[in-house]
Amino acid sequence: MTRTYGFDTLQVHAGARPDPATGARQVPIYQTTAYVFRDADHAAALFNLQEVGYIYSRLTNPTVAALQERVAALEGGAGAVCCSSGHAAQIMALFPLMAPGRNIIASTRLYGGTVTQFSHTIRRFGWSAKFVDFDDLDAMRAAIDDDTRAIFCESIANPGGYITDLDAVAQVAEAAGLPLIVDNTSATPYLCRPIDHGATLVVHSATKYLTGNGTVTGGVVVDSGRFDWSTSDKFPSLAAPEPAYHGLEFHRTFGPLAFTFHSIAVGLRDLGMTMNPQGAHYTLMGIETLSLRMERHVANARKVAEWLQNDPRVEGVTYAGLPSSPYHDRIARICPKGAGALFTVAIKGGYEACVKLVGSLELFSHVANLGDTRSLIIHSASTTHRQLTPEQQFAAGAAPNMVRLSIGIEDPDDLIADLDQALTKAVA
Ligand SMILES: *Cc1c(COP(=O)(O)O)cnc(C)c1O
């Protein structure tokens, strides 16, 4: 059959087929470290990457491979690599592109942990990041220099609900001959498909909506397969003989799968940020209902945000799904099925009132997580974003008088009632 399946079909079927050994219909958890070689020639072919197969689960595992194929299909990519966390996925995305002295251009509107990873930790590898407001395309262009190797942003940016104009950003990246990496965690491929807007690589924290129920720490890098790594001499790991894999030329040998093969054969082999098969199984089960959950997340978020916006105890709501948002007109183009379920609320009474609100809620959980079936809240300025400067906090939508809500799939009237009683306690 030549039919192209729709999203709801792919989220259930992509990457999975009845187990050839047992007929098991659900993807089995292949809880094994190693795989028996048929003979010495088979082993040699696997190690030479002449035959695709399983060697050792730090590199590949059948359960993890099913998840890789499924996420690649949902994002419209050529291949994908699963990792031990979203933060691992970010390092894995950068690893084949970077070298000491090289830099990336990153949006100021990012997950707080990513700002920290890019501001401090990557410097230990000799990499650096320049943070720029991605609504200022001239500033982006001006920040790019001869050592720049990638552009990095989030589609729907955590925590403010800001929507990046991916088409415009991709044009800047393309004109500079650079890959665009988009963190699509908050949107998921159901709401936004960054590759359709020109992204080269898509990264995910599978910890969030993909798994969807707060049980797994995981990450994924999806490769569009569309970037020509060989047009410049900027990406020798992919386009020139790779000394870390006996001189193999990944782009010439694997074409659109060069990044994926390099990430497995060198990245996972040597960095070891591997997803475990049990985690992959939970994430596969979560993805089966992704579209159903995201529809409810978005509908609930809109209802709760509208209620909050009209409440006199509230100073403002950043949800892009509200017509008052400056990013509202980007929804139709970038994330047509909705603006996600993550937004910030500014409360009258500032820092103290936020702390009291968080402590008074009964249904919302105060946790450093998002994208759970349960509704979650966090006061970013005193938690996830506390290591940032006040300027960075403000730019990231994490000012002291703001809380971030991740709206779950409960009955929205119960969520509104809980917020109502807690606001009464928090704002005198
Ligand atoms: C949570 C998150 C990350 C980090 O993912 P982990 O799985 O916690 O390592 C990165 N980006 C965004 C947008 C996130 O929400």
Side-chain angles (χ1 to χ4, degrees):
M1 194 157 89
T2 52
R3 189 181 163 80
T4 311
Y5 290 128
F7 191 96
D8 295 289
T9 305
L10 291 174
Q11 73 184 359
V12 175
H13 290 283
R17 49 198 70 78
D19 181 50
T22 63
R25 191 62 193 86
Q26 186 53 281
V27 179
I29 304 169
Y30 288 92
Q31 198 71 43
T32 183
T33 310
Y35 308 83
V36 177
F37 303 123
R38 289 195 302 271
D39 51 38
D41 287 343
H42 177 222
L46 290 175
F47 277 98
N48 284 336
L49 302 180
Q50 287 158 338
E51 186 177 328
V52 176
Y54 300 101
I55 298 175
Y56 187 66
S57 283
R58 175 160 23 84
L59 311 173
T60 48
N61 170 279
T63 314
V64 177
L67 176 58
Q68 286 169 171
E69 206 178 319
R70 185 165 302 175
V71 179
L74 295 176
E75 288 285 5
V81 183
C82 288
C83 312
S84 51
S85 71
H87 268 359
Q90 292 169 189
I91 296 299
M92 286 286 291
L94 293 174
F95 175 66
L97 318 180
M98 301 294 278
R102 308 306 185 206
N103 67 68
I104 61 170
I105 310 298
S107 169
T108 47
R109 298 180 185 85
L110 296 175
Y111 177 72
T114 304
V115 176
T116 305
Q117 186 187 57
F118 287 175
S119 305
H120 302 287
T121 302
I122 63 170
R123 289 183 173 275
R124 304 283 186 91
F125 311 144
W127 312 345
S128 62
K130 300 188 212 179
F131 293 95
V132 177
D133 178 351
F134 273 30
D135 278 341
D136 186 346
L137 300 178
D138 288 333
M140 275 186 72
R141 287 187 200 98
I144 294 169
D145 63 31
D146 288 345
D147 286 319
T148 304
R149 290 296 178 269
I151 310 284
F152 189 100
C153 64
E154 295 178 9
S155 48
I156 301 179
N158 178 2
Y162 163 90
I163 296 173
T164 305
D165 186 347
L166 295 178
D167 302 293
V169 168
Q171 272 179 24
V172 173
E174 194 183 352
L178 295 171
L180 170 63
I181 307 174
V182 177
D183 182 337
N184 201 31
T185 299
S186 306
T188 80
Y190 182 66
L191 299 181
C192 176
R193 298 222 312 174
I195 290 171
D196 295 344
H197 298 278
T200 308
L201 303 174
V202 178
V203 294
H204 274 283
S205 168
T207 314
K208 314 293 169 52
Y209 293 104
L210 289 185
T211 307
N213 49 37
T215 50
V216 165
T217 303
V220 191
V221 187
V222 182
D223 178 20
S224 65
R226 295 188 192 163
F227 194 86
D228 187 348
W229 305 107
S230 303
T231 46
S232 73
D233 57 4
K234 288 186 173 171
F235 305 102
S237 288
L238 296 167
E242 169 59 281
Y245 213 93
H246 52 73
L248 187 66
E249 293 178 50
F250 280 81
H251 194 208
R252 210 157 63 101
T253 310
F254 301 112
L257 285 169
F259 180 93
T260 303
F261 271 80
H262 189 280
S263 291
I264 292 169
V266 181
L268 288 182
R269 186 196 65 185
D270 295 346
L271 300 178
M273 301 169 170
T274 308
M275 180 181 277
N276 67 79
Q278 186 95 29
H281 173 74
Y282 290 137
T283 303
L284 278 166
M285 291 210 288
I287 289 176
E288 291 187 354
T289 58
L290 181 62
S291 66
L292 309 178
R293 288 185 284 109
M294 292 314 292
E295 262 171 26
R296 175 64 80 86
H297 278 295
V298 167
N300 280 3
R302 197 178 295 134
K303 200 162 178 189
V304 173
E306 270 166 13
W307 180 83
L308 283 165
Q309 189 184 36
N310 293 321
D311 192 282
R313 295 162 295 190
V314 169
E315 249 165 36
V317 181
T318 60
Y319 189 48
L322 295 172
S324 58
S325 165
Y327 303 108
H328 188 71
D329 61 1
R330 288 184 182 172
I331 295 174
R333 189 163 43 90
I334 305 292
C335 46
K337 293 205 184 81
L342 196 67
F343 56 87
T344 58
V345 186
I347 306 292
K348 286 184 183 154
Y351 191 98
E352 290 307 319
C354 287
V355 170
K356 218 181 256 176
L357 174 80
V358 164
S360 305
L361 286 160
E362 290 164 13
L363 208 46
F364 280 79
S365 305
H366 182 206
V367 298
N369 192 19
L370 60 95
D372 196 325
T373 46
R374 277 152 284 270
S375 288
L376 313 173
I377 188 168
I378 194 157
H379 184 219
S380 303
S382 63
T383 54
T384 49
H385 287 60
R386 71 177 301 136
Q387 283 162 33
L388 308 190
T389 65
E391 293 76 29
Q392 285 176 318
Q393 285 180 345
F394 194 80
N401 65 333
M402 285 179 174
V403 288
R404 183 192 73 194
L405 302 185
S406 170
I407 301 299
I409 61 172
E410 303 100 325
D411 185 325
D413 292 332
D414 292 335
L415 300 177
I416 289 170
D418 194 28
L419 287 165
D420 191 24
Q421 65 81 21
L423 277 168
T424 301
K425 289 178 185 145
V427 184

